[in-house]
Amino acid sequence: MTIDQLKSQIEEIINRLEGETLIDTNVKSKYLGKKGLFNSLVKEIRNIEGSDKKEAGQLFNQLKETLETKLSNISQTKKVVDIDFTMPAEETKVGHMHPISQAMEEITSIFEKIGFTRSRYPEVDWDWYVFESLNMPPSHPARDEWETFFVDTPEEVSEVSYDASNPRKRHPSLVGGKMVLTTHTSNGQVREMERLKNPPIRMINIARCYRRQQDATHTQMFHQFEGLVIDEGINIQNLKGTLDYFAKEFYGEGTKSRIRPFHFQFTEPSFEVDFSCHICSGTGIKDGDKCKFCKSGWHEVGGAGMVHPNVLKAGGIDPEKYTGFAFGWGVERTYTLKEGLNIDDIRLLYSGDLRFLKQF
Ligand code: DAH
């Protein structure tokens, strides 16, 4: 027998073993028993040329090892096969998305249905996008409403030379500026205008926001979603229709929106947005008593308005030709209202306490 013939026989034995059914109890002796396939092949060493005997010996050793390992795997598998299938299975723990992530997905899909696209922008952003381009020049008192976290930036990028006649000259990509943790998702407005350059724009920007506030109703990190629509002839009716659509889709048929005059630097006119309470159907009365959830039939959720011409200009869009509306508010509040939850302490949402999170 030549070495090549021996090799092909070895291969055949291994292939055969591979094809064995796992529950054959005689399988071990069939291969490694006294009269097994291995021993019969070993006898062939007599017929191998003297000069090849050494190599043949090594091949036999390898084959023995391979057979032993494979057979022991088989017997382990066999143990598993012996398990009583009628025993009840161990409970597998199935996780789920965090309730706020679920809410973000739902909000996204509601707006996608009417042609909005979700954009993502930095959560550590230039002062320009977070405040200044939104019609809030440095030291404007309106900035105080946002309890801002400032970020140290290297000297070379924070050096600015302000030219009042040309506010865009402060644009950070040109001259630097200060950085902050985004206090609201409105930083996406001018960024989206720059990205798309030409209307129509229909953006939904959902992101983390940060403010220096931490108590039962605030977390330092929270989420907002921001809508922005710009095109020719966009008016308040379009805004109101969009708000009503969202109210109905998110809270259910019959939920309405209401807008009340307010002030924001980046919109004119500006509004606060309320949704009717879906627990008492906006009546303020539940089971003959004052509705405990809303007390008045309405819930305040956030802000909205028609994009200020200065903001359009900052984004390089001609306010003579185009108009737009924007709105923005907190995901946490929007979501807890939906569930009819009066969470005593909103910080629970981010406590990582599974006993709380498992309920959603
Ligand atoms: N950015 C505002 C805030 O954080 C909310 C807001 C108000 C967003 C009016 C808007 C808007 O887009 O038009 O309080």
Side-chain angles (χ1 to χ4, degrees):
M1 185 187 264
T2 65
I3 276 288
D4 282 341
Q5 284 168 331
L6 177 64
K7 280 184 184 161
S8 80
Q9 292 218 19
I10 286 176
E11 205 176 311
E12 207 176 289
I13 294 179
I14 293 175
N15 285 344
R16 232 166 118 174
L17 176 56
E18 231 125 31
E20 286 299 344
T21 108
L22 302 180
I23 38 172
D24 186 350
T25 42
N26 294 325
V27 89
K28 203 166 178 174
S29 59
K30 182 165 149 196
Y31 288 87
L32 289 176
K34 243 185 190 168
K35 292 185 177 157
L37 291 167
F38 178 75
N39 276 345
S40 11
L41 189 62
V42 166
K43 285 190 194 127
E44 293 289 331
I45 195 124
R46 298 178 287 205
N47 306 326
I48 284 181
E49 283 243 358
S51 56
D52 286 334
K53 277 203 164 57
K54 195 171 164 211
E55 191 183 350
Q58 281 166 352
L59 288 172
F60 284 127
N61 284 344
Q62 277 169 14
L63 174 63
K64 192 158 188 200
E65 259 175 51
T66 313
L67 294 177
E68 274 165 357
T69 338
K70 287 195 188 286
L71 283 163
S72 81
N73 286 347
I74 287 177
S75 56
Q76 274 168 22
T77 320
K78 194 169 162 294
K79 269 190 218 135
V80 176
V81 172
D82 282 344
I83 284 175
D84 177 0
F85 286 112
T86 61
M87 294 248 293
E90 248 176 56
E91 193 192 344
T92 351
K93 293 195 175 64
V94 183
H96 63 71
M97 274 203 297
H98 190 277
I100 296 304
S101 307
Q102 291 176 34
M104 291 195 288
E105 295 229 325
E106 189 178 347
I107 293 165
T108 309
S109 78
I110 288 176
F111 282 106
E112 276 175 354
K113 276 198 241 163
I114 53 167
F116 283 66
T117 304
R118 181 167 178 193
S119 299
R120 285 166 187 267
Y121 289 114
E123 289 166 5
V124 182
D125 207 354
W126 299 103
D127 180 289
W128 164 262
Y129 290 109
V130 181
F131 293 118
E132 200 171 339
S133 69
L134 298 173
N135 203 25
M136 283 181 275
S139 62
H140 192 285
R143 287 175 172 230
D144 297 348
E145 288 162 35
W146 287 274
E147 303 270 331
T148 312
F149 283 109
F150 295 94
V151 177
D152 285 339
T153 37
E155 293 260 320
E156 64 272 20
V157 289
S158 57
E159 203 40 53
V160 278
S161 57
Y162 185 52
D163 174 356
S165 64
N166 181 8
R168 270 185 77 75
K169 214 172 154 217
R170 268 178 79 85
H171 189 294
S173 61
L174 304 175
V175 286
K178 288 221 164 73
M179 293 204 103
V180 298
L181 299 190
T182 47
T183 52
H184 53 181
T185 42
S186 305
N187 71 313
Q189 293 196 13
V190 166
R191 281 191 172 276
E192 184 77 349
M193 295 179 210
E194 287 178 349
R195 184 176 77 87
L196 292 177
K197 300 206 171 60
N198 291 310
I201 291 175
R202 272 184 237 118
M203 169 197 84
I204 188 85
N205 173 31
I206 314 185
R208 289 188 202 100
C209 299
Y210 305 84
R211 291 189 198 172
R212 292 188 306 126
Q213 279 180 323
Q214 179 100 318
D215 55 37
T217 52
H218 298 93
T219 47
Q220 288 171 327
M221 187 284 300
F222 58 101
H223 299 78
Q224 277 193 346
F225 63 103
E226 183 95 7
L228 175 72
V229 171
I230 302 174
D231 206 347
E232 282 181 55
I234 294 291
N235 58 38
I236 297 176
Q237 279 180 322
N238 301 127
L239 165 65
K240 185 66 171 62
T242 308
L243 297 174
D244 276 336
Y245 162 79
F246 177 76
K248 206 173 74 187
E249 290 285 312
F250 196 75
Y251 294 107
E253 204 62 49
T255 314
K256 292 193 195 67
S257 73
R258 169 172 92 171
I259 52 176
R260 289 179 285 106
F262 200 69
H263 173 81
F264 292 106
Q265 277 296 114
F266 32 95
T267 39
E268 182 56 39
S270 302
F271 309 102
E272 271 194 323
V273 181
D274 299 340
F275 286 143
S276 61
C277 176
H278 57 293
I279 304 281
C280 64
S281 310
T283 58
I285 309 285
K286 180 83 183 159
D287 304 329
D289 269 335
K290 210 176 198 184
C291 173
K292 288 198 183 66
F293 192 49
C294 65
K295 301 192 178 81
S296 64
W298 295 92
H299 293 287
E300 184 201 318
V301 286
M306 300 305 292
V307 182
H308 196 289
N310 287 353
V311 178
L312 293 172
K313 272 190 230 159
I317 286 180
D318 179 3
E320 298 296 327
K321 187 166 178 205
Y322 295 106
T323 48
F325 68 76
F327 57 85
W329 60 86
V331 177
E332 284 78 358
R333 173 149 173 82
T334 310
Y335 174 73
T336 48
L337 283 180
K338 173 175 173 140
E339 296 290 308
L341 289 176
N342 270 322
I343 298 185
D344 299 337
D345 192 337
I346 196 130
R347 289 171 291 193
L348 269 173
L349 277 171
Y350 298 114
S351 64
D353 186 337
L354 291 180
R355 290 168 307 173
F356 174 77
L357 294 174
K358 268 185 186 162
Q359 303 172 85
F360 302 96

